[in-house]
Amino acid sequence: MKNAKSHDAQDDEQRQHVDPLEIQQLAEEFASCRKLLLALGDENRQHLIIEMIGIGKCSGVRVGEITERTHLSRPAVSHHPQILKGAGLVKMRREGTKNYYYFDADAKAMNDLLHMLMHAKRIMEDQPDRSCAK
């Protein structure tokens, strides 16, 4: 039984060691995704995305349509698509004086985000349960 306990302790010790270079790489990946994470992290923008999806127009939606379906003011609704656009989640098409916003996510930004999340998941899965002190 003593060997089993010492073997478990050895496994935990090996699992606790994460290469500092790998942690640095993960930090850099996280930093490169910051703009996208900030855009998605705002509750109002999440609501706006849900409403844009709910409207279901692939050709795009106007700010007025979104405003009618949200609790946000028109200036606020106008502001948020610009942030989503800057993060590479939304594009805008102009017809005369009308702007239509539609989802067309930057594939590289989305792939970078997915890669960073999977990398973080791999690191966490390699760690022992740290929820209680030993």
Side-chain angles (χ1 to χ4, degrees):
M1 191 59 120
K2 188 175 181 180
N3 277 345
K5 282 186 181 180
S6 64
H7 183 67
D8 287 345
Q10 256 183 342
D11 284 349
D12 280 354
E13 221 174 275
Q14 287 175 350
R15 290 175 66 181
Q16 285 179 338
H17 176 72
V18 178
D19 182 2
L21 292 175
E22 186 172 17
I23 296 298
Q24 180 61 37
Q25 181 183 6
L26 179 61
E28 290 169 10
E29 292 167 6
F30 190 90
S32 74
C33 295
R34 182 176 283 158
K35 202 174 205 180
L36 184 58
L37 290 166
L38 286 170
L40 291 171
D42 182 83
E43 187 176 341
N44 288 322
R45 285 190 284 279
Q46 292 170 16
H47 185 61
L48 188 127
I49 289 168
I50 291 166
E51 291 303 324
M52 286 178 72
I53 292 168
I55 292 170
K57 293 182 182 175
C58 292
S59 60
V61 295
R62 297 190 55 217
V63 167
E65 290 177 88
I66 300 167
T67 302
E68 290 172 6
R69 295 177 66 127
T70 66
H71 65 281
L72 301 171
S73 68
R74 188 176 180 91
V77 171
S78 295
H79 171 74
H80 291 297
Q82 293 303 318
I83 293 170
L84 294 169
K85 183 179 168 198
L89 288 168
V90 169
K91 290 189 180 173
M92 184 197 66
R93 164 176 65 77
R94 183 167 291 169
E95 285 183 15
T97 60
K98 298 176 182 176
N99 296 331
Y100 293 87
Y101 294 92
Y102 59 95
F103 286 102
D104 191 2
D106 174 3
K108 183 187 179 321
M110 295 301 282
N111 284 333
D112 288 349
L113 177 62
L114 290 170
H115 175 79
M116 182 273 296
L117 291 171
M118 292 304 294
H119 189 188
K121 182 177 181 268
R122 279 193 309 275
I123 289 172
M124 288 185 284
E125 287 174 342
D126 287 343
Q127 298 302 302
D129 180 7
R130 294 163 283 164
S131 61
C132 57
K134 291 182 179 181

